[in-house]
Amino acid sequence: MQLSNVNDVKIYNLSYGKSLPEWLSDRKKRQLQKKDVDIQRRIELIQDFEMPTVCTSIKVSRDGQFVLAAGTYKPRVRCYDTYQLSLKFERCLDSEVVAFEVLSDDYSKLVFLHCDRHVEFHAQHGHYYKTRIPKFGRDFSYHYPSCDLFFVGMSSEVYRLNLEQGRFLNSLQTDAVENNVCDINPVHHLFATGTSEGRVECWDPRTRNRVGVLDCALSSLTEGTEVHGLPSISALKFNGSLTMAVGTSTGQVLLYDLRSSRPLLVKDHFYNLPIKSLNFHDQLDLIVSADSKIIKIWNKDSGKLFSSIQPQTDINDVCMYPNSGMLFTANEDPKMNTFYIPALGPAPRWCSFLDSLTEELEESPESTVYDDYKFVTRKDLENLGLSHLVGSSLLRAYMHGFFMDIRLYHKVKTMANPFAYEEYRKDKIRQKIEESRTQRVNVQKLPKVNKELALKLMEEGDQEAELASRKKKGKDVPSILGDDRFKVMFENPDFQVDEQSEEFRLLNPIVSKVGQKRKKKLRLLAQQEAAVQQEADEEEEPEGRASSEEESSDDDKSWVEEVREQRRLLWQEGRDRRRLERKEADRNTVLLEQKEGEGEKAERKKTSQPQFYQIKAGEEFRSFGDMARKQKLQKASLEERLKLEENSGTVNTVDTAVGSKQLTFTLKKSEQQRKQQQAEREHHEERKKLRRSAGHLSSARGRGWGRGRGRGRGSVHY
């Protein structure tokens, strides 16, 4: 329930608050009522008092027990029993309802005018009869003495349907092109219709003659009214025998006495919207007029505003409950509003508890907001230079500060800061520029170090935020980029990730594909940032850029192939690197040997004397011709020497003139290989011990001696 105070008149909105969905269980509803304060304060006066989408019109039966509402979608009518405070029945219709009327005291006789020219009659049990009028209808009225229905619409004729005889009677021919609304006086049964040309034509149903024409178009113009077109009649309502209220499409309400062609009073809503509903409150001589934005309650003698109601949604229809201060509204919203104004009258008998409830609310204290005063603290007074006013009548102490007149505050602030308006203007301009910049492409600012890692974290953060928003209870996990503990990783170059290292490539199997896409996105971001910086310098609004293509997600098993490919590339790179290292080492060895050989030759030339070699014990002397071949072999690379020795069969022995040297190359086996070989040897030895001879099973005839599966010459018969 919401309380508003307009013109010192308290208005209670009984439909304000959250509505619970129908599919919730009773347990869930009780839990929400315990936890949610808004639901606890909600007053559900009539259960399910709403429509699926929109409510178009609403009426109360003459006995006051039933409230009927028509709406969509699907087109339907709902009847609510006020004694039971619940929905009595619901009937779906073939098309939308333009207008409907309750012919009986209760809901047993209903007439509906549809948008497809059909007129549908309902009895207490449901649908009774359906007929059609020649032109599209907009409104109709029921004449009780003759049981005639008068239909007006997109035609100059007023169609008459007699319910006693069950046939159409001669139509009433008007001078208008179209008729919008109609009404019948409840006292002398004068029929009046409002035309699209701004006229009201009155007819006597007894003689079927027109008794008068009232031109309301010129009378609706008041001082300061802007004329945009010819005002047509959009609402019409009789009160008593001589009073008639007319609403126009330009937002004026004209109050007439039938004995005069000039209006007694013209009330303007100042919204330039068509008047949709007119109602009279006889107890206080008030008129309740409504357009799509506001409901105004004003005195019919002076036009003074009594109060006003402005709902949150557009209004389609207004219905006042008889002899009470309650009114219902049909809105462009599923919920139908219920307003209670104690100043207009008491609550209806079926909800008399509202009187005691509103009295308790009036007794409770309310927080008052002062519009003409400004609350300031002692620090504000010091900044304004008004500390000397403390204790004077210009300041009223309140809590931790003071109230002062708003005019004095603005005057002193202007004197203290004469350039406040310029600062305010600059702030407004800056706000406008920032609002216009929100339409630009949002450029993501990346750190200088580990840009690709930062971009990856941003993308993962967006995905996690999207998943959390889909869940009801999503917890916000802080991002690494916003955590101060990891800020050094994006500032210090020592923390730069080496993407060419073996560990990075093996731990990130799909880094090749995603890395290319991320580098492409980094280039786009750099271009966007440069463009935004250039346009900011030129103070021009940048044009939007096309967003990068969405990255397609890889298959679930694609990373296996990527890992294999990365391992193969790493093995090939290692093999090439080792080959280069061997070539470099052999080249260094050859150069060193050449230098040593040149040194020996120089020494030989210097000492032209013959050299003697001593043969050690146990060594065999070989010819000197073999020495040249061995020296030539030593100058070759290690790979060439190994290939030559493998071909010649001498892998182990290398002889020189000074002795024999032996090099043995063996492959180092791991501990696991040695254990496996030892286990195999033990297994073979064990099998040799357990093997038994099968010589006694041998025969003269070998296997396959016979001829197939049939009888051979060596076959045995049993």
Side-chain angles (χ1 to χ4, degrees):
M1 184 172 64
Q2 184 185 32
L3 173 62
S4 59
N5 195 340
V6 181
N7 203 12
D8 294 334
V9 176
K10 294 185 177 181
I11 302 171
Y12 296 90
N13 186 358
L14 305 180
S15 302
Y16 182 80
K18 297 180 180 179
S19 59
L20 298 176
E22 299 178 358
W23 43 266
L24 278 182
S25 61
D26 295 338
R27 183 180 179 183
K28 287 286 185 180
K29 291 181 180 179
R30 288 194 298 269
Q31 290 178 355
L32 287 175
Q33 289 176 356
K34 292 179 181 179
K35 296 179 181 179
D36 201 331
V37 180
D38 295 336
I39 296 178
Q40 292 177 359
R41 295 177 179 176
R42 180 177 58 93
I43 296 178
E44 193 173 8
L45 191 62
I46 300 177
Q47 189 176 6
D48 298 330
F49 195 61
E50 58 185 12
M51 281 288 172
T53 307
V54 172
C55 181
T56 56
S57 55
I58 186 169
K59 292 183 182 297
V60 179
S61 61
R62 285 201 294 269
D63 59 2
Q65 183 179 355
F66 303 100
V67 179
L68 294 103
T72 189
Y73 180 81
K74 298 179 179 179
R76 68 191 67 202
V77 59
R78 286 184 173 181
C79 179
Y80 299 90
D81 191 350
T82 57
Y83 292 173
Q84 302 296 329
L85 298 177
S86 61
L87 178 66
K88 187 172 182 63
F89 66 84
E90 177 184 15
R91 297 174 187 171
C92 289
L93 307 172
D94 295 335
S95 56
E96 295 185 11
V97 177
V98 177
F100 75 96
E101 189 69 37
V102 184
L103 303 184
S104 60
D105 292 340
D106 55 1
Y107 66 92
S108 58
K109 295 180 181 180
L110 303 174
V111 183
F112 298 95
L113 175 62
H114 294 284
C115 62
D116 58 354
R117 297 190 292 159
H118 279 100
V119 180
E120 191 171 346
F121 298 89
H122 281 227
Q124 188 172 6
H125 58 82
H127 177 267
Y128 180 75
Y129 185 73
K130 192 174 184 180
T131 185
R132 201 171 187 181
I133 58 177
K135 295 295 181 71
F136 291 97
R138 293 178 178 174
D139 196 8
F140 72 95
S141 297
Y142 180 62
H143 187 243
Y144 286 94
S146 62
C147 297
D148 288 343
L149 283 174
F150 292 85
F151 295 94
V152 298
M154 298 177 64
S155 174
S156 60
E157 295 180 342
V158 178
Y159 304 110
R160 293 195 302 152
L161 176 61
N162 188 270
L163 301 184
E164 183 181 6
Q165 302 177 20
R167 65 188 181 93
F168 281 96
L169 303 179
N170 293 332
S171 303
L172 304 179
Q173 185 65 41
T174 64
D175 296 338
V177 178
E178 295 177 353
N179 294 281
N180 296 330
V181 291
C182 63
D183 194 24
I184 294 179
N185 192 292
V187 179
H188 48 71
H189 305 291
L190 181 69
F191 173 75
T193 174
T195 67
S196 59
E197 290 83 3
R199 296 190 183 91
V200 175
E201 297 189 9
C202 299
W203 295 73
D204 189 354
R206 297 170 298 180
T207 60
R208 299 186 300 278
N209 294 327
R210 185 171 58 196
V211 296
V213 178
L214 190 63
D215 192 355
C216 303
L218 295 176
S219 302
S220 63
L221 300 178
T222 58
E223 295 182 2
T225 304
E226 296 182 3
V227 180
H228 299 283
L230 183 65
S232 59
I233 306 301
S234 59
L236 189 64
K237 188 70 174 179
F238 280 105
N239 181 40
S241 58
L242 299 176
T243 307
M244 179 180 66
V246 179
T248 64
S249 60
T250 55
Q252 290 85 25
V253 179
L254 294 83
L255 192 63
Y256 282 94
D257 190 316
L258 294 181
R259 296 168 294 184
S260 174
S261 60
R262 293 186 177 181
L264 300 175
L265 185 66
V266 178
K267 181 68 175 179
D268 197 344
H269 273 217
F270 297 106
Y271 276 96
N272 293 327
L273 297 174
I275 303 297
K276 291 194 172 184
S277 175
L278 290 171
N279 291 279
F280 286 89
H281 192 274
D282 297 329
Q283 287 80 7
L284 299 178
D285 293 334
L286 299 175
I287 296 178
V288 181
S289 58
D291 55 20
S292 59
K293 289 294 183 184
I294 193 170
I295 303 172
K296 288 194 175 184
I297 307 172
W298 45 281
N299 191 284
K300 69 177 183 179
D301 295 329
S302 61
K304 184 179 179 181
L305 183 66
F306 179 78
S307 185
S308 63
I309 304 172
Q310 193 166 0
Q312 296 179 353
T313 55
D314 292 347
I315 303 169
N316 291 328
D317 192 14
V318 177
C319 175
M320 295 196 64
Y321 195 88
N323 302 320
S324 71
M326 181 174 291
L327 56 90
F328 305 102
T329 62
N331 314 301
E332 289 287 328
D333 191 67
K335 187 180 293 186
M336 294 177 283
N337 289 337
T338 304
F339 295 96
Y340 174 52
I341 306 175
L344 295 181
R349 187 174 62 178
W350 50 271
C351 58
S352 57
F353 61 88
L354 288 177
D355 290 331
S356 58
L357 181 63
T358 53
E359 288 177 1
E360 291 178 2
L361 291 176
E362 290 178 359
E363 291 175 359
S364 61
E366 299 178 358
S367 58
T368 307
V369 178
Y370 301 99
D371 295 333
D372 297 334
Y373 290 87
K374 173 69 176 178
F375 180 80
V376 292
T377 61
R378 288 187 177 271
K379 187 175 181 180
D380 296 336
L381 291 176
E382 293 177 359
N383 295 334
L384 296 174
L386 299 179
S387 302
H388 61 281
L389 295 180
V390 177
S392 64
S393 59
L394 297 177
L395 297 177
R396 182 176 293 275
Y398 182 76
M399 294 179 67
H400 61 283
F402 305 90
F403 275 114
M404 65 181 301
D405 193 278
I406 191 67
R407 295 171 294 178
L408 176 61
Y409 175 78
H410 287 310
K411 186 176 181 180
V412 174
K413 191 174 181 180
T414 305
M415 295 173 61
N417 189 5
F419 301 102
Y421 176 73
E422 292 296 331
E423 296 176 358
Y424 171 78
R425 183 172 175 273
K426 291 180 181 179
D427 291 339
K428 283 295 181 182
I429 293 174
R430 192 179 299 108
Q431 291 177 5
K432 291 292 183 182
I433 294 175
E434 292 297 331
E435 290 176 0
S436 62
R437 284 179 178 175
T438 56
Q439 301 176 359
R440 301 178 180 177
V441 177
N442 293 327
V443 179
Q444 298 176 348
K445 294 184 178 180
L446 298 177
K448 297 181 179 180
V449 182
N450 291 328
K451 291 186 178 181
E452 295 187 9
L453 178 61
L455 185 60
K456 179 182 177 182
L457 294 175
M458 287 180 182
E459 294 174 356
E460 293 177 354
D462 295 341
Q463 295 176 1
E464 292 178 359
E466 184 178 357
L467 292 175
S469 62
R470 293 178 182 176
K471 298 180 181 179
K472 293 183 179 179
K473 297 181 180 180
K475 297 183 179 179
D476 296 334
V477 181
S479 175
I480 296 180
L481 294 173
D483 199 336
D484 295 338
R485 297 175 295 175
F486 303 98
K487 66 179 182 179
V488 184
M489 186 170 60
F490 303 100
E491 295 177 357
N492 193 346
D494 296 337
F495 290 93
Q496 179 67 41
V497 177
D498 185 11
E499 297 183 0
Q500 301 300 326
S501 62
E502 180 178 351
E503 294 81 1
F504 182 84
R505 293 169 63 179
L506 290 178
L507 292 176
N508 295 270
I510 57 174
V511 71
S512 58
K513 293 184 178 179
V514 180
Q516 293 176 2
K517 297 175 182 177
R518 195 167 289 120
K519 287 177 181 178
K520 181 179 179 182
K521 193 170 183 180
L522 282 172
R523 288 195 298 270
L524 290 175
L525 289 175
Q527 294 175 2
Q528 292 176 2
E529 188 173 359
V532 169
Q533 184 66 27
Q534 181 180 0
E535 291 171 357
D537 295 338
E538 297 176 359
E539 296 183 356
E540 294 180 357
E541 186 175 359
E543 298 179 357
R545 294 183 181 270
S547 59
S548 59
E549 298 180 357
E550 297 181 357
E551 299 180 359
S552 59
S553 60
D554 298 330
D555 296 336
D556 296 338
K557 298 298 182 181
S558 62
W559 61 273
V560 179
E561 299 296 333
E562 292 292 336
V563 170
R564 292 175 180 173
E565 182 66 20
Q566 291 296 330
R567 289 186 180 276
R568 187 186 66 80
L569 293 176
L570 288 173
W571 177 81
Q572 185 175 0
E573 291 175 1
R575 186 185 62 182
D576 296 341
R577 185 172 59 254
R578 288 192 296 271
R579 183 179 298 172
L580 292 175
E581 290 176 356
R582 285 199 303 268
K583 288 183 178 181
E584 188 68 24
D586 295 341
R587 189 180 298 110
N588 295 336
T589 304
V590 170
L591 293 175
L592 183 60
E593 290 176 352
Q594 289 178 357
K595 290 181 180 180
E596 291 177 354
E598 292 176 357
E600 291 177 357
K601 289 180 181 179
E603 290 179 359
R604 242 185 250 115
K605 290 180 180 180
K606 291 180 181 179
T607 59
S608 57
Q609 298 177 1
Q611 295 181 0
F612 298 93
Y613 298 92
Q614 182 182 1
I615 300 175
K616 296 181 180 180
E619 291 183 357
E620 183 181 358
F621 173 74
R622 295 184 179 181
S623 63
F624 290 99
D626 219 7
M627 293 293 296
R629 184 176 60 81
K630 293 298 181 180
Q631 289 180 358
K632 184 178 180 181
L633 184 63
Q634 286 181 354
K635 295 180 180 180
S637 63
L638 180 62
E639 184 179 4
E640 295 175 354
R641 281 184 286 172
L642 288 175
K643 288 182 180 179
L644 184 61
E645 290 174 357
E646 287 177 0
N647 295 332
S648 61
T650 60
V651 181
N652 297 2
T653 307
V654 177
D655 297 335
T656 60
V658 295
S660 299
K661 294 182 180 179
Q662 184 175 1
L663 296 176
T664 304
F665 298 94
T666 58
L667 296 176
K668 185 179 181 181
K669 296 181 180 179
S670 63
E671 186 69 24
Q672 185 177 1
Q673 291 177 348
R674 288 198 299 270
K675 289 181 180 180
Q676 186 176 1
Q677 290 179 359
Q678 181 67 23
E680 289 178 357
R681 284 194 297 270
E682 293 177 357
H683 177 70
H684 287 310
E685 293 294 334
E686 184 180 357
R687 294 297 299 172
K688 286 180 181 180
K689 293 178 182 179
L690 296 177
R691 188 175 62 181
R692 292 177 296 176
S693 176
H696 64 281
L697 298 178
S698 63
S699 59
R701 295 176 181 178
R703 185 179 179 183
W705 180 81
R707 297 181 180 177
R709 297 182 181 180
R711 289 184 180 181
R713 47 185 183 175
S715 62
V716 180
H717 303 280
Y718 295 95

